[in-house]
Amino acid sequence: MHDTGQADAFGELSGFRQRFYDECLTRRGDALFELTDAVLCTAGPVTSLAELSLTAEHRRGHGAGYDAINHGRIEIDRLRTTVAELPLPRAADGRIALAVDISPWLRPDAPCSPERLFCHVHGRSRSASQFIPGWPYSFVAALETGRTSWTAILDAVRLGPADDATAVTAAQLREVVGRIIDAGHWQPGDPHILIVADAGYDVTRLAFVLADLPVELVGRIRSDRVMLRPAPPRPPGTIGRPHKHGGVFTLADQNSWHAPDHTTDTDTTRYGHAQARAWDRLHPRLTHRGPWLDHEGELPLVEGTVIRLQVEHLPGDRDPTPVWLWSSVTGASAELVDLLWQAFLRRFDLEHTFRLLKQTLGWTRPKLRAPDSADRWTWLILVAHTQLRLARPITEDLRRPWEKPVTEPRRLTPARVRRGFRNIRAKAGHPAAAPKPSRPGPGRPPGSPNTHRATRHDVGKTIKRNLTLQQHQNRTG
């Protein structure tokens, strides 16, 4: 049984590598494929594209690597479909849980790089919150159960200066869910797909836009938010327009809370005692601004469940503040409430993936000028991460003398799987053709400077939002 499982894993990995080369790489395919193998097989963290050309798996010069990134072609839509067809991890109850988050590729010293935005970065001490120019990327990944540093990245989209983050995220999630359904991972009658987001997302707007899909959303909300209860039933014989909203539920004011619909207590190994209190059918007051600016007609009521999570302690923090969550689910049971906040905590596994992409696989290391080149390099890194995930059950643990042995393959970290990928690559096949002999070009004649100065680009949004209804009335009045 073990040999059969390993043979299936080898077949899955080999098939993905072959499809990636045959169907997704349509220009400079050999160089792009070997560049991805060099990322997986180089010893230590990736520091630059030129250093990758020194590995045995990259049989071309360093110029070929830069040429492939700048002038190659990757069929991204085909690659997205190929990745979605691979086996997906599942949450504790067997459902698919997706996490969405934004991670920036910071480029503060690249004034000649277009389409940069001001990216919010968390620092330390007095620089706790900074805005640094860069390219923000929106990632969607499937989560698995238990404490782990593994995620299955399914999509990545770069946000441009003319993009609305909420609209782009909604379109991205719709496409990802559609590919998951087309691949047969979700069938009618299965539990709804769970989408987890952090506080930077308008989870209410996402729930409204994606209401026609079999998804349920849960996201963190600010502790100073004010929610509203449903409107009370009208007494018989009452005339006039019916009330749209009920009483006020202020998260920061405990006196405004009513008795919770559910209260659950759970003992965890990492956070101690965790208590969750849930209030059903609460909604925010929407206004014609932000993502609702162009909404035609009366604004809807988007009801959901508000969850207050209080844990006993956090790593390094013995007095944590409570976390407030909002879910698009109404009428949730106590078991589902526990599943929602536990799935939200699993969202932080995506932070381990970002750290691996940046610090080990070298996602943000190349100093690329064009955003299209950055997109190609980003997808090569995602393909490398996908291959690590497929090689997870068949990798031999090449541990350091000071590292603890791991008995189960699923407990290996992505970095330790990468350490043994060179041995797996020899059996998984490498369809890239050998380089042909060639001579280097003449280059620029000595003593002739470059007289074409690169164009400088401003940072930030290039479009202005329309005025709100109130601002328009104030200006015209």
Side-chain angles (χ1 to χ4, degrees):
M1 181 66 68
H2 179 69
D3 295 338
T4 303
Q6 284 203 339
D8 294 341
F10 266 115
E12 195 76 48
L13 176 60
S14 301
F16 173 76
R17 288 168 61 87
Q18 190 68 46
R19 291 195 301 271
F20 171 59
Y21 178 79
D22 293 337
E23 303 174 7
C24 304
L25 302 179
T26 57
R27 184 189 295 167
R28 310 293 200 279
D30 296 326
L32 290 172
F33 190 88
E34 290 192 353
L35 198 60
T36 308
D37 277 359
V39 172
L40 290 167
C41 299
T42 187
V46 175
T47 57
S48 67
L49 289 178
E51 291 290 339
L52 291 178
S53 64
L54 302 179
T55 61
E57 291 73 17
H58 192 278
R59 297 173 292 180
R60 292 161 172 81
H62 66 278
Y66 281 100
D67 178 68
I69 293 298
N70 292 323
H71 303 289
R73 179 182 297 166
I74 303 177
E75 297 296 335
I76 303 299
D77 291 337
R78 296 180 187 174
L79 183 54
R80 288 184 173 118
T81 303
T82 303
V83 172
E85 293 174 351
L86 298 174
L88 290 182
R90 302 280 177 159
D93 63 341
R95 73 170 68 198
I96 298 175
L98 303 179
V100 56
D101 202 358
I102 293 178
S103 184
W105 182 339
L106 300 181
R107 299 289 281 133
D109 53 351
C112 299
S113 295
E115 302 183 16
R116 293 181 303 159
L117 297 175
F118 287 106
C119 305
H120 183 263
V121 179
H122 292 282
R124 296 182 178 179
S125 187
R126 296 182 179 179
S127 301
S129 181
Q130 305 179 56
F131 289 91
I132 300 178
W135 291 313
Y137 281 83
S138 175
F139 291 86
V140 177
L143 306 176
E144 63 181 58
T145 184
R147 289 180 57 188
T148 179
S149 56
W150 286 96
T151 61
I153 303 180
L154 302 178
D155 194 24
V157 174
R158 177 174 50 83
L159 302 178
D163 292 334
D164 180 84
T166 302
V168 171
T169 303
Q172 183 184 20
L173 289 172
R174 180 175 294 277
E175 294 177 0
V176 170
V177 172
R179 288 192 292 267
I180 290 176
I181 296 176
D182 294 339
H185 297 305
W186 186 90
Q187 301 289 341
D190 293 345
H192 283 189
I193 299 173
L194 188 60
I195 298 177
V196 186
D198 205 1
Y201 290 91
D202 190 344
V203 64
T204 307
R205 174 67 179 179
L206 292 177
F208 175 78
V209 175
L210 304 177
D212 59 321
L213 297 179
V215 298
E216 297 172 352
L217 286 91
V218 58
R220 182 165 60 175
I221 57 178
R222 292 164 54 104
S223 59
D224 58 354
R225 291 287 299 272
V226 176
M227 311 297 286
L228 300 172
R229 300 181 179 89
R234 302 184 68 187
T238 304
I239 61 175
R241 184 176 181 180
H243 291 287
K244 186 176 181 180
H245 309 288
V248 175
F249 186 95
T250 305
L251 273 58
D253 184 9
Q254 189 171 356
N255 295 327
S256 66
W257 305 350
H258 57 276
D261 295 281
H262 298 289
T263 300
T264 64
D265 295 276
T266 308
D267 292 325
T268 65
T269 58
R270 185 172 179 80
Y271 307 106
H273 180 75
Q275 184 185 73
R277 288 191 277 179
W279 293 267
D280 192 20
R281 296 190 61 195
L282 296 181
H283 63 273
R285 185 188 299 273
L286 304 180
T287 57
H288 282 281
R289 63 177 59 190
W292 301 97
L293 181 63
D294 300 327
H295 183 83
E296 297 181 359
E298 187 177 2
L299 291 172
L301 291 179
V302 186
E303 293 184 334
T305 301
V306 172
I307 303 174
R308 182 183 186 272
L309 176 63
Q310 178 69 66
V311 298
E312 186 176 357
H313 58 78
L314 294 174
D317 185 2
R318 292 297 167 180
D319 189 20
T321 57
V323 175
W324 289 91
L325 307 175
W326 185 90
S327 173
S328 61
V329 181
T330 56
S333 62
E335 293 76 12
L336 183 55
V337 169
D338 281 340
L339 175 66
L340 292 175
W341 68 259
Q342 291 171 10
F344 173 78
L345 295 183
R346 291 271 61 82
R347 188 205 69 83
F348 293 98
D349 296 340
L350 196 55
E351 302 297 335
H352 297 286
T353 300
F354 291 154
R355 184 165 59 249
L356 174 79
L357 300 184
K358 294 182 178 181
Q359 298 182 2
T360 304
L361 302 184
W363 170 40
T364 58
R365 285 292 183 176
K367 305 301 182 182
L368 304 175
R369 175 183 294 180
D372 292 340
S373 301
D375 294 343
R376 294 188 196 98
W377 176 248
T378 298
W379 274 101
L380 289 186
I381 296 300
L382 299 191
V383 168
H385 184 267
T386 301
Q387 295 186 56
L388 291 178
R389 178 167 61 91
L390 296 177
R392 180 183 178 186
I394 56 179
T395 303
E396 182 181 357
D397 185 19
L398 304 179
R399 68 182 184 91
R400 302 288 189 255
W402 54 85
E403 294 176 341
K404 295 181 180 179
V406 177
T407 57
E408 300 181 15
R410 70 178 304 272
R411 302 300 301 174
L412 287 176
T413 62
R416 290 174 75 162
V417 172
R418 176 175 177 262
R419 196 179 298 165
F421 191 86
R422 174 171 287 177
N423 300 332
I424 298 176
R425 175 184 176 273
K427 303 177 183 179
H430 37 90
K436 299 178 180 180
S438 62
R439 295 181 180 180
R444 185 182 300 146
S448 59
N450 183 12
T451 58
H452 301 282
R453 291 180 57 86
T455 305
R456 265 58 175 172
H457 300 274
D458 295 331
V459 183
K461 293 287 187 179
T462 58
I463 61 173
K464 293 183 179 180
R465 299 193 62 90
N466 296 328
L467 296 176
T468 64
L469 297 180
Q470 184 64 36
Q471 290 174 332
H472 182 72
Q473 293 175 0
N474 293 339
R475 289 195 176 188
T476 57

